[in-house]
Amino acid sequence: MRVLPSSRRARRWTIIAVVTVLVLVAGTFGLQALTSARTWQFFGGLTARVDTTQKVVALTFDDGPVPAGTQPLLDELARAQVPATFYLIGQDMEKHPELARSIVAAGHELGNHTYSHERMVLVTPGFVAEEVERTDKLIRDAGFQGEITFRPPNGKKLLALPYYLDEHNRKTIMWDVEPNTYPDVDASAERIVDFTVEHVRPGSIILLHGMYAGREQTRRAVGPILDRLKADGYRFVTVGELLTYQGK
């Protein structure tokens, strides 16, 4: 058997090591892209926006309910006479059931955002069922009677979650406009408004994180977003209503 010189052996193992690292890195980034995909998942369907020519848009809020953001958001929505969809976390609803009830009483739609807000990627089917069903019950306890759509925390999903949702005929709702994703935009209410208005199109689903105390800039942006989009001819509907516009 031919024996390679030590320098060539070292070079060969270096190449092998580099290629292995590159493959692992590519696989990791590929997995991350897959778990975060807004328009595709392994099982069932999901909606990031609705294909329509009509100027309708759904405004959605993730997380909470918590005292810092619930009433200010409800006040602004009431002023503009706009319905919204709130994707709430079960453990926050347990802490503040009165806030969840106030959202429903104001005529808004509730969606399921899991109980613990854990990333639903490497999870078991039992964990998924517990997270979804426990939160469903809290949503019903708050008085919401409509269809409960679902949004994965941070938009993350892989196998167990989409499979469960598909088996239970549950709708997965993502988004196509999210100004809070970009730190330079998120830092300023004015930039949040401009970004949102510039990126909305007929059938868009807007995602805002306006609940927690540190989200003051987002809360300040809500009113101007509503006013500017309404001035542009847009009409706000809940996610459930928006889904009925598919293909119209």
Side-chain angles (χ1 to χ4, degrees), residues 88-111:
L88 301 183
I89 300 170
Q91 60 187 7
D92 284 342
M93 283 193 284
E94 274 190 342
K95 294 175 184 175
H96 307 289
E98 74 288 352
L99 297 181
R101 289 194 296 269
S102 69
I103 295 172
V104 176
H108 302 293
E109 184 174 82
L110 298 191

Side-chain angles (χ1 to χ4, degrees), residues 116-180:
S116 64
H117 204 259
E118 293 289 330
R119 295 193 176 196
M120 306 291 281
V121 179
L122 300 177
V123 293
T124 65
F127 181 80
V128 171
E130 174 73 10
E131 288 280 309
V132 175
E133 293 166 15
R134 190 173 180 182
T135 305
D136 277 349
K137 183 180 184 306
L138 291 164
I139 288 172
R140 293 303 186 206
D141 290 345
F144 181 68
Q145 299 299 316
E147 180 183 6
I148 303 174
T149 58
F150 180 87
R151 175 173 283 163
N154 303 295
K156 303 290 186 181
K157 63 267 181 297
L158 189 57
L159 294 174
L161 175 62
Y163 182 79
Y164 172 90
L165 296 172
D166 187 40
E167 286 291 294
H168 291 80
N169 298 311
R170 298 292 293 269
K171 293 182 175 67
T172 305
I173 305 299
M174 300 292 278
W175 59 87
D176 68 327
V177 181
E178 187 196 8
N180 300 136

Side-chain angles (χ1 to χ4, degrees), residues 13-29:
W13 284 111
T14 299
I15 292 171
I16 291 172
V18 170
V19 170
T20 300
V21 170
L22 289 175
V23 168
L24 290 173
V25 169
T28 299
F29 279 102

